[in-house]
């Protein structure tokens, strides 16, 4: 790729004047596609040492945080992005962009786009993995298996169960689609109904009433000032004893202490949790010991297909960016 340190010119659709910060893995696997999309684009890479020279990173005008950075290389890549003084656009592998680095970048005028929908299918399947695991009591089943006990148990089917899906972005839409296929009774929970939803839709401000008459509560919301701690102690207290809570979004959306106490006391039947207030979840956290809880390490979207969809979305946005057109899933400044 041609090297250049000139200022970005969005009218030059071949990428001349732009420098992409990416990983060596991305460049190795997708270099030919990148050259075809933007033959004039230069690149600086985060190599296997996870270091990059200051003079190189200061040239970067575009950054792409691909899935191969997570989790081991994420810190080094973000450090590089924050040091990129000429950065104009940052595409992130995740749908969520909460956290101080993103706030700082937007305050600097850096455009941030996210990979909304790339993990929707994987995350929705994870929700149903949790639901099956909890309904079949797989934790106890695993203990029986380990001790070669052939124990018989009765379990509850998913059909006809009432499921409230908090958030109706790409992940929430896929969860509702699968819930309908299972014969469940979904309710969409969002700010306002638009009239084209495939099932009943209720407002977020009715959350206490909603959780009281649903069997399953799935959290698929982004973290904002309005949604932080939205599943509060009061909301958890309003849940019925047979309620199951699934969170594949962010730990900050839930009062984790209140949920833990409710699970301990049997005031909530169970939980499937992929995200937590503190990550990694500390080894001494009481959630580890609860028999009615299933835990995964913030990897509900980490399927083999998700990274490929992230790559495709980046290339779609690269075409739009170089053409000076609006990009997909740009975060408001």
């Amino acid at each position: 790729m041609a090297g250049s340190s000139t200022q970005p010119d969005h009218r030059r659709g071949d990428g001349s004047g732009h420098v992409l910060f990416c990983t060596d893995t991305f460049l190795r696997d997708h270099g030919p596609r990148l050259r075809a999309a933007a033959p004039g684009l230069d690149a600086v890479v985060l190599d296997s040492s996870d270091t990059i020279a200051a003079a190189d990173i200061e040239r970067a005008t575009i950054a792409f945080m691909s899935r191969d950075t997570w989790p081991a290389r994420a810190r080094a890549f973000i450090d590089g992005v924050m040091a990129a003084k000429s950065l104009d656009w940052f595409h992130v592998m995740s749908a969520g962009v909460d956290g101080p680095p993103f706030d700082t970048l937007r305050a600097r005028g850096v455009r941030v786009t996210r990979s909304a929908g790339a993990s929707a299918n994987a995350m929705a399947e994870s929700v149903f993995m949790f639901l099956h695991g909890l309904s079949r009591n797989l934790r106890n089943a695993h203990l029986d298996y380990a001790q070669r006990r052939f124990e018989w148990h009765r379990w509850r089917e998913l059909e006809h169960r009432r499921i409230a899906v908090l958030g109706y972005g790409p992940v929430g839409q896929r969860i509702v689609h699968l819930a309908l296929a299972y014969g469940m009774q979904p309710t969409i929970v969002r700010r306002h109904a638009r009239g084209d939803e495939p099932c009943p839709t209720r407002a977020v401000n009715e959350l206490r009433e909603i959780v009281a008459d649903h069997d399953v509560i799935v959290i698929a919301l982004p973290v904002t000032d309005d949604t932080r701690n939205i599943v509060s102690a009061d909301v958890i207290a309003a849940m019925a004893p047979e309620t199951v809570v699934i969170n594949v979004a962010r730990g900050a959306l839930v009062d984790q202490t209140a949920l833990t106490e409710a699970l301990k006391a049997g005031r909530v039947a169970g939980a499937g949790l992929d995200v937590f207030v503190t990550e990694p979840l500390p080894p001494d956290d009481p959630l580890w010991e609860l028999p009615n809880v299933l835990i995964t390490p913030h990897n509900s979207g980490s399927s083999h297909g998700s990274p490929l969809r992230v790559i495709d979305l980046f290339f779609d946005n690269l075409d739009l960016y170089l053409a000076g057109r609006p990009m997909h899933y740009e975060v408001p400044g």
Side-chain angles (χ1 to χ4, degrees), residues 45-60:
V45 299
L46 186 72
D47 63 22
S48 58
S49 69
D50 283 351
T51 59
I52 187 167
D56 287 334
I57 194 60
E58 288 179 2
R59 298 170 53 232

Side-chain angles (χ1 to χ4, degrees), residues 38-296:
L41 185 69
D42 195 3
V44 294
V45 299
L46 186 72
D47 63 22
S48 58
S49 69
D50 283 351
T51 59
I52 187 167
D56 287 334
I57 194 60
E58 288 179 2
R59 298 170 53 232
T61 59
I62 301 170
F64 173 40
M65 187 178 187
S66 47
R67 277 293 179 90
D68 57 280
T69 60
W70 185 263
R73 309 180 75 184
R75 182 71 271 162
F77 195 89
I78 289 294
D79 286 347
V81 168
M82 301 306 290
K85 297 179 180 179
S86 300
L87 194 65
D88 184 59
W89 167 42
F90 180 28
H91 186 84
V92 189
M93 63 177 185
S94 62
V97 288
D98 49 292
F102 300 106
D103 295 338
T104 300
L105 289 170
R106 293 201 304 276
R108 280 170 41 186
V110 176
R111 300 173 69 182
V112 177
T113 54
R114 57 196 183 93
S115 297
S119 300
N121 190 62
M123 293 174 71
E125 289 188 12
S126 294
V127 167
F128 281 83
M129 177 272 294
F130 280 132
L131 286 176
H132 284 296
L134 292 166
S135 67
R136 296 297 297 263
N137 197 2
L138 282 188
R139 285 193 62 160
N140 280 349
H142 180 72
L143 293 174
D144 289 341
Y145 177 85
Q147 298 181 32
R148 303 188 182 187
R149 290 197 304 255
F150 200 73
E151 297 288 342
W152 183 91
H153 301 281
R154 192 180 299 279
W155 54 280
R156 187 178 177 190
E157 299 173 18
L158 298 185
E159 187 178 18
H160 304 308
R161 294 180 75 175
R162 299 161 297 175
I163 177 172
V165 180
L166 280 60
Y168 198 58
V171 176
Q173 291 168 28
R174 185 62 180 164
I175 293 167
V176 168
H177 176 82
L178 293 179
L180 289 168
Y182 269 91
M184 300 180 78
Q185 300 176 34
T187 298
I188 296 165
V189 184
R190 64 191 313 188
R191 282 198 193 120
H192 308 289
R194 296 183 181 175
D196 58 352
E197 296 89 351
C199 56
T201 302
R202 297 175 67 178
V204 173
N205 60 14
E206 301 177 58
L207 192 53
R208 288 192 64 191
E209 293 77 14
I210 292 167
V211 301
D213 60 7
H214 283 76
D215 307 302
V216 179
I217 311 300
V218 179
I219 304 160
L221 288 163
V223 175
T224 67
D225 290 341
D226 292 333
T227 62
R228 191 175 300 275
N229 209 42
I230 191 170
V231 183
S232 62
D234 286 346
V235 169
I236 292 166
M239 295 178 183
E242 65 271 15
T243 302
V244 167
V245 177
I246 311 291
N247 190 3
V248 292
R250 288 289 189 270
L253 295 163
V254 179
D255 185 326
Q256 187 169 302
T257 299
L259 179 61
T260 301
E261 292 305 314
L263 289 161
K264 280 183 183 178
R267 290 184 281 107
V268 173
L273 304 174
D274 184 57
V275 290
F276 307 90
V277 173
T278 300
E279 295 183 3
L281 185 65
D284 60 351
D285 192 286
L287 284 170
W288 288 111
E289 302 297 327
L290 297 182
N292 53 348
V293 176
L294 295 178
I295 290 170
T296 52

Side-chain angles (χ1 to χ4, degrees), residues 295-314:
I295 290 170
T296 52
H298 200 151
N299 72 337
S300 66
S302 300
S303 69
H304 287 292
S306 295
L308 300 177
R309 288 187 286 271
V310 171
I311 297 292
D312 287 342
L313 185 52
F314 166 72

